[in-house]
Amino acid sequence: MEASPTQWLQRLGRALLAPRCLVCDARGESGLDLCADCAAALPWNTTACPRCALPMLHAQTCGHCLRHPPPMTLTVAALVYGPPLDRLVPRLKFHGDLAAGRLLAALMAQAMSGAPRPQALVPVPLHDRRLRRRGYDQALELARAVGRRLDLPVLDTALLRSRDTAPQSEQDAQARRRNLRGAFSVRPGAALPAHVALIDDVMTTGATLHAATRALLRAGVARVDGWVCARVE
């Protein structure tokens, strides 16, 4: 039976609106902007230290976290930072590619769906000066999209970046910790639940999450988990 003009238009619309892979531009699969081959290549962080999300052969607390327990109760990193994440994350972080952000958030939500459920998500904020320069906050974009997928509220004004710190990528581990002392505070009067998850894009040494977590704990939060898109090995 020959298709009607309406059916032809519907087919054309589906073809034009079909998701395209953000890595290689092939046809997307499963409603994501990611093709089957690139999806198969994703470096999921399936076995990691539960305190710092460092990739390991077995999901057990690493030696560093045993000696120096981090302030987060649990840290979950959806993926290990590497191809194709090293192409997608910078597109969101530095080039305003919100489509890349939606894809990364979908991958995060998939990984976090089995984690202990917090009462709210708190994005790691940019300082106002950097936010004005960039025009958007990548952690907030991720938090909003993850929150929609997991039906969790986002507290987007509770945590403040009190100081405009130097970029962490330019610092070694010790300098990162010094750079972030006193960098975060909780907005006076902010209503915070007992259990929250901090949202950020990439975790390297964990200094940013540690500093933000301590600010939340000082404000009375009982448990803070870290949820990040990718963990650097």
Side-chain angles (χ1 to χ4, degrees), residues 12-29:
L12 178 62
R14 285 194 294 270
L16 291 174
L17 297 174
R20 308 298 300 181
C21 181
L22 295 179
V23 179
C24 70
D25 202 39
R27 186 183 180 88
E29 297 286 342

Side-chain angles (χ1 to χ4, degrees), residues 116-199:
R117 188 176 176 86
Q119 293 164 282
L121 305 179
V122 177
V124 173
L126 292 175
H127 188 270
D128 287 346
R129 189 177 295 114
R130 191 171 301 181
L131 179 60
R132 286 194 297 270
R133 287 199 302 267
R134 188 173 293 178
Y136 65 96
D137 183 335
Q138 73 275 3
L140 177 57
E141 297 299 330
L142 290 173
R144 285 171 172 165
V146 171
R148 284 193 296 269
R149 286 180 173 270
L150 298 183
D151 194 25
L152 287 168
V154 177
L155 305 180
D156 57 354
T157 62
L159 188 64
L160 305 174
R161 196 148 193 153
S162 310
R163 292 194 297 107
D164 189 10
T165 54
Q168 288 290 90
S169 58
E170 300 172 2
Q171 315 284 326
D172 62 23
Q174 187 174 5
R176 285 171 187 250
R177 290 192 292 271
R178 289 197 304 267
N179 188 39
L180 288 162
R181 285 175 187 159
F184 296 100
S185 61
V186 170
R187 186 181 299 279
L192 291 165
H195 180 193
V196 303
L198 271 170
I199 299 284

Side-chain angles (χ1 to χ4, degrees), residues 37-58:
D37 288 343
C38 290
L42 287 171
W44 292 102
N45 194 21
T46 52
T47 54
C49 170
R51 299 301 301 275
C52 72
L54 183 71
M56 299 178 66
L57 292 177
H58 305 285

Side-chain angles (χ1 to χ4, degrees), residues 55-140:
M56 299 178 66
L57 292 177
H58 305 285
Q60 59 190 23
T61 304
C62 71
H64 185 270
C65 288
L66 288 172
R67 294 189 300 272
H68 307 284
M72 298 87 71
T73 299
L74 173 75
T75 304
V76 183
L79 301 126
V80 179
Y81 194 77
L85 273 296
D86 56 358
R87 295 177 61 184
L88 292 171
V89 171
R91 285 169 59 170
L92 168 65
K93 190 165 187 173
F94 302 115
H95 303 291
D97 189 339
L98 299 185
R102 288 190 293 271
L103 171 59
L104 294 172
L107 301 176
M108 287 180 69
Q110 182 176 334
M112 279 59 171
S113 61
R117 188 176 176 86
Q119 293 164 282
L121 305 179
V122 177
V124 173
L126 292 175
H127 188 270
D128 287 346
R129 189 177 295 114
R130 191 171 301 181
L131 179 60
R132 286 194 297 270
R133 287 199 302 267
R134 188 173 293 178
Y136 65 96
D137 183 335
Q138 73 275 3
L140 177 57

Side-chain angles (χ1 to χ4, degrees), residues 70-73 159 186 192 194 196 198 209-225:
M72 298 87 71
T73 299
L159 188 64
V186 170
L192 291 165
V196 303
L198 271 170
L209 284 179
H210 291 186
T213 295
R214 291 188 179 104
L216 290 166
L217 294 174
R218 286 195 299 269
V221 177
R223 170 173 173 160
V224 180
D225 296 339

